[in-house]
């Protein structure tokens, strides 16, 4: 079966599946009982097509707008404010006084932003709207009831019930003649309402998770103070601060900034970045900052933007279905076809005696009411066999388990963005982890500094302030100028008058150090003017700025990876403040200091400056050589508590952890050893060396790489690609920056950091780690394995019920001419194994034992030999019990009188249900004997079992007229329960039979 499923349903990938693959499996499953329910959690390909059309239209609109804005005599759109940005309308912007004029007309300040006065904010919301796009309304419970009623087999059964009511009442009167029909109706309604309740709860869980996914905050200036604000609270007139990796939260205009490149592919489909500046100041909602930084004036929000209209359409497109959902749709289809065949044969066998009798009597065209009811009962049984045989709940059990896991993972600080990531994470064989913020705390402080060639300990602000007196004034001045100007961070004051440092942890550590030296951020920034910025990125591993000095002339400042920046220096400042050539002796000494800092697991940064010559133009690139070394700082970022234990857990689970970092190799090795990642037989390599390796060398090298230092985004992407394609690993990758997006996209599971991560990284990821903690990644892996195994347990349980129900009714029909399980009883059994079974088994929480087994990997079978052993073993036992009761039950229980058939069938039905109850318990573990461990702590499981037993008792003892049962005595009840209970030691014995794991 596995190879058949792989051949026909295996084209769907965990992510980035082709549209053809998604359409192909739908065609293979085109005939199903209930299309609305079966395909509820699948992508809406038509809506996606609409979204692509909008993107294409946007691209054409912008292209035409750029051309039109250059021509004379064009007409202006009625929506003044919105049309300026959306239409890239430069002429109209000039008419309105450029950005200054727009700001004035919006009653806002380019420096202080909007007023926080509540009345003013409310009026602005009333006039311009809010920054939200139209979303699908939460569907009511009755919509799910209606969808559950769309099941073809239930509709047929409802028709049967109606005919049964009409004929029964005509023959036997009310109420006796209505019992059979009302029994079927009641069972249908019970199935429908239980199914609808389960589906409705799932939909609410997904709605909650969707809200979490959209919680994005941005830096905004209001009333002169910087603050973080939800994108939903933005209004026209707001001043927003954007940096690399941010998503533009609304349409707006460029106020000021440096080297700003915007990726508009999410809106237009075009991947070529667009330079945004004073000449082209238009910023579109939904686009991404690829490079640089800026301040932006918000002009249009919500559904007035093209992004709002696009997102409203995309939200209806849905997530891709997961590979497991598709595979289980295939299983359901195959079993459904088998069930349909058996149902037809059962109907023929049950009815042939009646037709034969009518034929011999010559009365084929003359039917009595009793005969019609008998034929109708046969047909209802055949239809109900299809109901039981078609495991419609299989693919939905995946969704139920994933929804449950996603909700629980949210509590464990992991936000799942794509359903498939849950199940894929359970198969992960490799985790490529960042160092900073994932393995370490991301709380950085400068603890050592080498200034003027002398190493100084920096133990807190008090000690740092004493250092000022130990260095020449000119050195302190140039150091503060470098730190306060060449930074992506900022020092601002909040409404309480206290300073606050904004920026990455590295930037914050440097700014804290400079403030401790006695520096004043605002004063130092006001002394010079920044005329050019080349922001830090993972490829260059450096950041540079050009300053215009108050006395004339320009100066460049550069900081970044110590060995790279030091290599760009040809001079240094000595302890007298004099500048001298950087000879080999001094260079070796400084490189030795870098290595000693790195050996203490410190992140090192080198700061340097250069006086610029007269002919330099700001359109030119900032020079990369000819600098003067100011100093080297060592930044401490402690390893997170529990990381070493988590890495050991991964190793025991067969998951290889690799560290990929931009840090110095000695720093990386020291941290990796502390975390337990780098072992004696492992390899640590630098990105530049990795790039030089041939394919043959990589084949030998890649499996042993445990640390990659000084890596570029391309190195990370290449490593992931080799692991996936060459070594067939299932790879999870962490990332927090814009440049990590390709690796996150390439990986089987992309894990973005929720605190330090950019919006671009988060959007490329499948799971967002909200606390940036490596231990949370291990929790995600554990939940992933739990999802996978829970679904396997449910499939094992459901297929066992399928096999036995089919064989019992079919064999009984063939050999006795009767079916022991009626339509109402089979509907109840269907609910036990479908909705209730999924609730019980697909929502088991994970346990630590899950991380003591090898991962499934990319090639593991879903329906394993172990599962087939358990299915066949329990099916044989249950079928033997049912067959024995059918043939010997009357003698065994001493049944006599006119009601013996009803009593025996009730015992068979009761025993069959209790076989499923105890098989459900046995299915909690597929290989272990002890299936009771932790059972009482699973409240959902206990609730399902308890409600099943209680309702079974009510059906047998009190609903005889409707359920075709008769009350049983204590002896018969004990026998029924005991027959089910014996299944547990039988199941335990079956588990001792050795089979291959695959």
């Amino acid at each position: 079966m596995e190879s058949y499923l792989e051949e026909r349903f295996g084209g769907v990938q965990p992510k980035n599946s082709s549209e053809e693959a998604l359409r192909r499996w739908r065609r293979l499953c085109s005939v199903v009982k209930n299309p609305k329910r079966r395909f509820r959690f699948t992508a809406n390909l038509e809506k996606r097509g609409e979204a692509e059309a909008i993107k294409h239209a946007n691209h054409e609109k912008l292209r035409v707008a750029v051309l039109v804005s250059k021509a004379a005599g064009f007409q202006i759109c009625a929506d003044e404010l919105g049309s300026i940005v959306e239409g890239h309308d430069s002429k109209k912007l000039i008419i309105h006084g450029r950005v200054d004029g727009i700001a004035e007309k919006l009653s806002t300040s380019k420096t202080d932003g909007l007023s926080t006065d509540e009345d003013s904010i409310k009026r602005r919301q009333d006039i311009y709207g809010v920054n939200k796009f139209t979303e699908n309304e939460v569907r009511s419970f009755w919509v799910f009831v209606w969808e559950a009623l769309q099941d073809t087999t239930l509709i047929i059964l409802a028709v049967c019930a109606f005919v049964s009511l009409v004929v029964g009442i005509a023959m036997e009167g009310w109420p006796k003649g209505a019992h059979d029909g009302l029994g079927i109706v009641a069972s249908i309604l019970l199935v429908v309402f239980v199914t609808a309740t389960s589906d409705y709860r799932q939909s609410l869980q997904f709605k909650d998770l969707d809200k979490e996914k959209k919680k994005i905050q941005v830096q905004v200036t209001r009333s002169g103070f910087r603050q973080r604000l939800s994108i939903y609270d933005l209004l026209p007139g707001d001043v927003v601060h954007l940096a690399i990796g941010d998503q533009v939260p609304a349409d707006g205009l460029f106020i000021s900034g440096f080297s700003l490149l915007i990726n508009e592919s999410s809106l237009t489909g075009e991947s070529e970045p667009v330079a945004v500046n004073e000449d082209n100041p238009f910023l579109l909602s939904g686009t991404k900052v690829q490079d640089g930084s800026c301040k932006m004036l918000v002009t249009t929000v919500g559904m007035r933007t093209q992004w709002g209209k696009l997102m409203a359409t995309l939200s209806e497109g849905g997530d891709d279905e997961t590979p497991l959902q598709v595979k289980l749709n295939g299983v359901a289809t195959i079993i459904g076809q088998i069930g349909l065949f058996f149902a037809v044969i059962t109907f023929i066998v049950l009815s042939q005696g009646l037709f034969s009798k009518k034929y011999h009597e010559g009365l084929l065209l003359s039917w009595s009411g009793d005969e019609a009811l008998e034929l109708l009962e046969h047909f209802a049984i055949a239809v109900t066999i299809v109901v039981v045989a078609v495991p419609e709940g299989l693919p939905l059990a995946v969704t139920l388990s994933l929804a449950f896991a996603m909700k629980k993972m949210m509590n464990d600080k992991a936000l799942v963005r794509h359903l498939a990531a849950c199940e894929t994470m359970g198969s992960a064989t490799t985790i490529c982890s960042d160092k900073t913020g994932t393995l370490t705390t991301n709380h950085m402080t400068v603890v050592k500094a080498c200034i003027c060639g002398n190493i100084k300990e920096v133990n807190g602000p008090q000690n740092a302030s004493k250092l000022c007196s130990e260095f020449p004034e000119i050195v302190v001045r140039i150091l503060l100028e470098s730190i306060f100007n060449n930074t992506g961070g900022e020092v601002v004051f909040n409404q309480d008058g206290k300073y606050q440092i904004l920026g990455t942890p590295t930037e914050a550590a440097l700014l804290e150090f400079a403030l401790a030296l006695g520096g004043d951020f605002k004063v130092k920034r006001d002394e010079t003017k920044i005329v050019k910025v080349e922001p830090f990125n993972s490829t260059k591993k450096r950041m540079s700025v050009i300053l215009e000095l108050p006395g004339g002339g320009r100066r460049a400042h550069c900081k970044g990876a110590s060995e790279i920046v030091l290599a760009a220096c040809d001079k240094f400042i000595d302890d007298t403040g004099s500048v001298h050539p950087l000879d080999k002796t001094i260079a070796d000494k400084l490189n030795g200091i870098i290595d000693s800092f790195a050996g203490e697991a410190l992140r090192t940064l080198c700061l340097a400056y250069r006086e610029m010559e007269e002919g330099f133009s700001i359109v030119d690139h900032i020079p990369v050589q000819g600098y003067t070394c100011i100093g080297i700082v060592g930044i401490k970022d402690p390893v997170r508590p529990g990381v070493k234990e988590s890495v050991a857990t991964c190793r025991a689970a067969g998951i290889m952890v690799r560290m990929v970092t931009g840090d110095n190799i000695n720093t990386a090795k020291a941290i990796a050893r502390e975390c337990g990642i780098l072992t004696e037989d492992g390899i640590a390599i630098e990105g530049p060396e990795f790039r030089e390796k041939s394919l043959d060398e990589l084949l030998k090298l890649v499996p042993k790489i445990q640390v990659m230092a000084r890596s570029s985004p391309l190195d990370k992407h290449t490593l992931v690609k080799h692991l996936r394609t060459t070594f067939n690993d299932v790879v999870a990758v962490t990332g927090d920056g814009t440049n990590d997006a390709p690796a996150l996209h390439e990986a089987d599971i992309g894990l973005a950091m929720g605190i330090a991560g950019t919006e671009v990284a988060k959007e490329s990821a499948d799971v967002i780690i909200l606390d940036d903690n490596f231990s949370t990644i291990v929790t995600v892996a554990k939940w992933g394995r739990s999802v996978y195994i829970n679904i396997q347990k449910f499939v094992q349980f459901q297929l066992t019920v399928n096999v036995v129900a089919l064989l019992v009714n079919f064999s009984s029909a063939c050999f006795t001419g009767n079916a022991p399980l009626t339509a109402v009883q089979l509907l109840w059994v269907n609910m036990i194994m479908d909705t209730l079974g999924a609730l019980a088994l697909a929502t088991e929480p994970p346990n630590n034992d899950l991380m003591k087994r090898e991962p499934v990997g990319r090639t593991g079978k879903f329906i394993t030999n172990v599962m087939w052993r358990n299915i066949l073993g329990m099916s044989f036992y249950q079928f033997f019990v049912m067959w024995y009761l059918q043939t010997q039950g009357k003698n065994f229980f001493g049944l006599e009188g006119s009601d013996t058939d009803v009593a025996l069938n009730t015992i068979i039905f009761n025993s069959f249900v209790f076989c499923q109850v105890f098989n459900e318990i046995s299915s909690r573990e597929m290989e272990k004997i002890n299936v009771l461990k932790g059972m009482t702590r699973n409240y959902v499981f206990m609730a399902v079992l308890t409600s099943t037993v209680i309702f079974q008792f009510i059906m047998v003892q009190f609903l005889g007229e409707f359920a075709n049962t008769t009350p049983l005595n204590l002896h018969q009840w004990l026998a029924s329960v005991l027959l089910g209970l014996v299944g547990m030691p039988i199941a335990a014995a079956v588990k001792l039979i050795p089979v291959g794991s695959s």
Side-chain angles (χ1 to χ4, degrees):
M1 180 183 278
E2 193 75 29
S3 57
Y4 176 83
L5 288 172
E6 193 61 41
E7 179 185 341
R8 306 196 76 187
F9 298 92
V12 176
Q13 301 301 314
K15 58 183 186 180
N16 309 322
S17 294
S18 68
E19 186 173 322
E20 172 53 31
L22 296 177
R23 289 192 184 278
R24 185 170 63 248
W25 82 263
R26 285 166 169 75
R27 289 194 294 269
L28 293 170
C29 298
S30 55
V31 180
V32 296
K33 284 178 15 180
N34 190 341
K36 278 190 176 293
R37 187 165 185 250
R38 176 80 77 89
F39 300 120
R40 180 186 297 128
F41 296 105
T42 56
N44 187 329
L45 301 179
E46 283 66 35
K47 285 292 179 184
R48 289 187 176 183
E50 288 179 27
E52 285 303 314
I54 290 174
K55 279 188 182 182
H56 181 72
N58 286 342
H59 174 54
E60 279 301 301
K61 191 184 293 181
L62 291 179
R63 185 180 68 82
V64 171
V66 171
L67 294 174
V68 169
S69 66
K70 294 177 181 177
F74 64 91
Q75 296 300 309
I76 299 172
C77 177
D79 190 347
E80 290 285 314
L81 203 52
S83 67
I84 291 174
V85 175
E86 188 177 321
H88 282 46
D89 199 330
S90 298
K91 288 197 172 183
K92 193 167 188 182
L93 181 62
I94 293 168
I95 292 168
H96 284 280
R98 298 187 182 274
V99 178
D100 290 328
I102 295 291
E104 187 179 340
K105 291 181 180 182
L106 283 171
S107 300
T108 188
S109 163
K110 292 197 304 179
T111 53
D112 293 341
L114 290 178
S115 164
T116 53
D117 176 66
E118 288 188 14
D119 290 337
S120 171
I121 295 291
K122 182 70 171 63
R123 284 198 305 273
R124 201 173 289 265
Q125 287 175 338
D126 292 339
I127 295 168
Y128 296 112
V130 293
N131 197 30
K132 292 181 180 178
F133 54 82
T134 305
E135 297 181 358
N136 295 334
E137 291 183 7
V138 178
R139 296 193 295 176
S140 73
F141 171 73
W142 298 106
V143 173
F144 290 92
V145 171
W146 175 249
E147 286 189 357
L149 283 168
Q150 306 298 303
D151 190 306
T152 308
T153 49
L154 291 183
I155 292 171
I156 294 171
L157 283 176
V159 173
C160 291
F162 176 75
V163 175
S164 176
L165 279 170
V166 172
V167 176
I169 292 170
M171 292 288 297
E172 301 180 62
W174 177 270
K176 188 177 181 183
H179 286 160
D180 289 345
L182 289 177
I184 296 175
V185 170
S187 300
I188 291 171
L189 291 176
L190 183 64
V191 169
V192 164
F193 276 93
V194 171
T195 301
T197 302
S198 174
D199 292 348
Y200 179 62
R201 285 178 59 82
Q202 280 184 57
S203 75
L204 293 180
Q205 284 185 320
F206 283 121
K207 200 71 182 175
D208 291 342
L209 289 165
D210 276 342
K211 287 179 184 175
E212 289 295 332
K213 289 180 193 177
K214 293 165 185 170
K215 283 185 178 177
I216 300 172
Q217 292 198 317
V218 288
Q219 288 281 348
V220 176
T221 296
R222 279 191 177 179
S223 294
F225 297 102
R226 281 279 284 273
Q227 54 192 280
R228 293 185 69 78
L229 203 67
S230 167
I231 59 169
Y232 297 135
D233 295 329
L234 289 180
L235 292 167
D238 264 319
V239 174
V240 178
H241 302 259
L242 299 174
I244 293 178
D246 285 342
Q247 176 175 305
V248 179
D251 284 1
L253 295 168
F254 175 93
I255 297 173
S256 62
F258 301 98
S259 310
L260 188 64
L261 287 178
I262 297 293
N263 186 328
E264 296 183 345
S265 59
S266 58
L267 196 62
T268 68
E270 283 294 306
S271 58
E272 192 66 29
V274 176
V276 175
N277 45 43
E278 288 88 348
D279 297 326
N280 177 36
F282 308 108
L283 289 157
L284 295 170
S285 176
T287 57
K288 310 293 188 305
V289 180
Q290 185 166 312
D291 203 359
S293 60
C294 78
K295 279 205 307 183
M296 158 192 159
L297 176 67
V298 175
T299 59
T300 317
V301 295
M303 288 304 295
R304 293 176 182 271
T305 68
Q306 277 300 316
W307 180 247
K309 295 164 192 170
L310 176 62
M311 287 306 293
T313 306
L314 276 176
S315 66
E316 298 175 23
D319 261 354
D320 280 355
E321 46 273 25
T322 76
L324 208 49
Q325 281 176 312
V326 174
K327 202 170 272 190
L328 291 182
N329 264 294
V331 172
T333 300
I334 294 166
I335 295 173
Q337 291 166 350
I338 295 169
L340 182 61
F341 171 77
F342 275 93
V344 171
I345 299 297
T346 301
F347 177 71
I348 292 171
V349 170
L350 286 173
S351 305
Q352 62 87 23
L354 183 60
F355 277 100
S356 176
K357 176 188 169 188
K358 299 291 290 181
Y359 176 76
H360 286 109
E361 293 175 353
L363 298 173
L364 270 177
L365 299 179
S366 176
W367 290 74
S368 69
D370 286 339
E371 289 168 337
L373 282 175
E374 184 182 349
L375 185 65
L376 191 66
E377 175 64 19
H378 294 166
F379 181 70
I381 289 169
V383 173
T384 313
I385 284 176
V386 176
V387 174
V388 176
V390 179
E392 197 81 2
L394 280 184
L396 294 170
V398 180
T399 313
L400 175 67
S401 186
L402 292 174
F404 174 77
M406 287 167 74
K407 188 74 174 175
K408 293 294 184 182
M409 278 195 274
M410 190 70 209
N411 298 333
D412 289 336
K413 304 298 181 184
L415 172 61
V416 179
R417 294 186 70 251
H418 302 129
L419 270 178
C422 282
E423 66 187 51
T424 311
M425 194 65 194
S427 308
T429 57
T430 292
I431 297 174
C432 293
S433 175
D434 285 345
K435 175 185 77 68
T436 306
T438 308
L439 300 170
T440 59
T441 62
N442 217 13
H443 295 145
M444 300 191 189
T445 50
V446 176
V447 295
K448 279 192 172 183
C450 172
I451 310 293
C452 302
N454 298 316
I455 298 174
K456 301 292 181 181
E457 298 283 342
V458 184
N459 297 319
Q462 291 182 341
N463 192 49
S465 63
K466 293 178 184 176
L467 294 179
C468 284
S469 60
E470 299 180 26
F471 301 126
E473 183 185 344
I474 189 173
V475 174
V476 175
R477 190 169 69 246
I478 201 81
L479 176 63
L480 294 177
E481 183 180 273
S482 177
I483 294 174
F484 284 143
N485 287 284
N486 188 21
T487 180
E490 196 171 350
V491 180
V492 298
F493 286 88
N494 59 27
Q495 289 165 307
D496 298 328
K498 295 179 180 177
Y499 77 79
Q500 180 184 0
I501 299 176
L502 306 174
T504 66
T506 306
E507 297 283 17
L510 279 173
L511 290 170
E512 187 74 58
F513 175 57
L515 291 170
L517 288 173
D520 186 309
F521 180 83
K522 189 173 186 308
V523 170
K524 210 68 187 171
R525 287 292 281 260
D526 289 344
E527 286 178 0
T528 57
K529 180 184 177 184
I530 300 173
V531 293
K532 187 176 179 66
V533 177
E534 289 184 359
F536 179 89
N537 65 45
S538 302
T539 305
K540 298 181 297 184
K541 301 201 181 301
R542 59 198 287 167
M543 176 181 180
S544 304
V545 298
I546 300 284
L547 303 181
E548 204 167 79
L549 303 176
R554 288 172 176 167
R555 182 179 292 148
H557 282 279
C558 175
K559 75 171 180 200
S562 295
E563 63 271 30
I564 293 174
V565 175
L566 185 60
C569 295
D570 56 15
K571 295 179 281 296
F572 78 103
I573 304 177
D574 69 6
D575 52 9
T576 66
S578 303
V579 176
H580 296 278
L582 182 63
D583 57 25
K584 187 176 184 302
T585 304
I586 299 298
D588 288 344
K589 177 187 174 183
L590 293 175
N591 276 311
I593 290 169
I594 292 169
D595 290 340
S596 71
F597 282 10
E600 297 174 41
L602 301 181
R603 164 176 276 191
T604 64
L605 291 176
C606 182
L607 291 81
Y609 76 98
R610 165 185 166 150
E611 304 294 347
M612 302 302 297
E613 20 333 294
E614 285 285 329
F616 178 78
S617 169
I618 60 170
V619 298
D620 297 333
H621 285 293
I622 299 176
V624 295
Q625 295 292 330
Y627 284 87
T628 301
C629 178
I630 302 169
I632 296 159
V633 295
I635 299 173
K636 182 72 175 175
D637 185 13
V639 171
R640 283 183 181 273
V643 164
K644 190 169 186 177
E645 293 77 6
S646 296
V647 170
T649 299
C650 285
R651 187 165 280 119
I655 302 172
M656 168 75 109
V657 180
R658 307 169 199 266
M659 180 200 286
V660 183
T661 178
D663 271 350
N664 175 293
I665 192 164
N666 293 320
T667 305
K669 284 161 74 173
I671 294 286
R673 287 194 185 98
E674 193 176 342
C675 295
I677 292 173
L678 185 58
T679 59
E680 290 184 6
D681 57 347
I683 291 175
I685 191 171
E686 288 189 315
E689 184 185 349
F690 175 77
R691 278 169 242 152
E692 298 298 319
K693 299 294 182 183
S694 66
L695 185 59
D696 289 339
E697 289 174 314
L698 286 174
L699 288 174
K700 298 175 185 176
L701 184 69
V702 167
K704 296 180 181 178
I705 292 177
Q706 292 176 340
V707 177
M708 185 184 285
R710 288 292 182 237
S711 66
S712 70
L714 183 60
D715 297 330
K716 194 174 188 178
H717 180 269
T718 304
L719 176 64
V720 171
K721 193 169 185 178
H722 274 297
L723 288 168
R724 289 187 70 240
T725 57
T726 309
F727 300 97
N728 224 16
D729 275 355
V730 178
V731 185
V733 171
T734 71
D736 56 15
T738 306
N739 292 314
D740 288 321
L744 291 170
H745 192 72
E746 174 67 32
D748 295 283
I749 314 103
L751 305 162
M753 299 299 105
I755 299 172
T758 65
E759 291 307 319
V760 171
K762 291 175 188 176
E763 194 172 282
S764 301
D766 305 292
V767 180
I768 298 173
I769 307 300
L770 298 174
D771 61 356
D772 291 13
N773 196 335
F774 184 82
S775 300
T776 304
I777 297 172
V778 178
T779 302
V780 173
K782 190 191 294 185
W783 270 108
R785 290 187 174 197
S786 176
V787 166
Y788 196 85
I789 288 172
N790 284 350
I791 295 167
Q792 284 184 314
K793 293 174 188 175
F794 174 65
V795 169
Q796 175 185 298
F797 169 72
Q798 192 170 51
L799 291 186
T800 303
V801 185
N802 283 139
V803 170
V804 178
L806 274 177
L807 289 178
V808 167
N809 266 23
F810 176 72
S811 60
S812 179
C814 289
F815 293 108
T816 69
N818 293 300
L821 300 177
T822 66
V824 172
Q825 292 166 358
L826 282 172
L827 281 172
W828 170 233
V829 169
N830 177 68
M831 197 162 68
I832 292 173
M833 75 171 191
D834 195 323
T835 306
L836 296 180
L839 274 172
L841 290 170
T843 57
E844 282 268 352
N847 56 64
N848 291 329
D849 291 341
L850 291 172
M851 299 303 283
K852 294 176 183 175
R853 59 174 77 191
E854 290 296 307
V856 175
R858 196 178 299 282
T859 56
K861 289 181 179 178
F862 177 71
I863 303 180
T864 63
N865 292 345
V866 168
M867 292 170 67
W868 281 122
R869 176 197 66 191
N870 297 342
I871 290 167
L872 294 175
M874 286 311 298
S875 297
F876 178 79
Y877 167 71
Q878 289 185 20
F879 179 68
F880 173 78
V881 168
M882 297 301 108
W883 186 248
Y884 179 80
L885 289 176
Q886 278 187 278
T887 55
Q888 304 297 323
K890 290 183 181 179
N891 294 330
F892 181 81
F893 288 101
L895 299 176
E896 295 178 351
S898 58
D899 293 333
T900 55
D901 286 340
V902 176
L904 180 62
N905 284 345
T906 302
I907 293 170
I908 291 171
F909 168 55
N910 208 35
S911 301
F912 183 73
V913 168
F914 276 98
C915 279
Q916 307 323 316
V917 168
F918 288 105
N919 184 34
E920 202 160 15
I921 298 173
S922 297
S923 297
R924 291 186 70 243
E925 291 287 350
M926 291 188 290
E927 297 185 71
K928 291 184 180 177
I929 303 298
N930 184 3
V931 295
L932 301 177
K933 183 179 178 183
M935 186 176 82
T936 54
R937 292 194 298 273
N938 186 345
Y939 302 120
V940 175
F941 188 91
M942 293 303 296
V944 167
L945 278 192
T946 305
S947 59
T948 301
V949 171
I950 291 171
F951 198 78
Q952 177 66 16
F953 179 80
I954 293 170
M955 278 188 75
V956 170
Q957 297 299 111
F958 304 109
L959 299 178
E961 295 288 350
F962 295 100
N964 303 105
T965 59
T966 189
L968 301 180
N969 59 37
L970 181 62
H971 169 67
Q972 292 164 343
W973 267 103
L974 288 174
S976 299
V977 174
L978 188 62
L979 286 170
L981 181 61
V982 169
M984 289 186 67
I986 298 284
V990 167
K991 290 173 186 176
L992 298 175
I993 301 171
V995 292
S997 58
S998 62

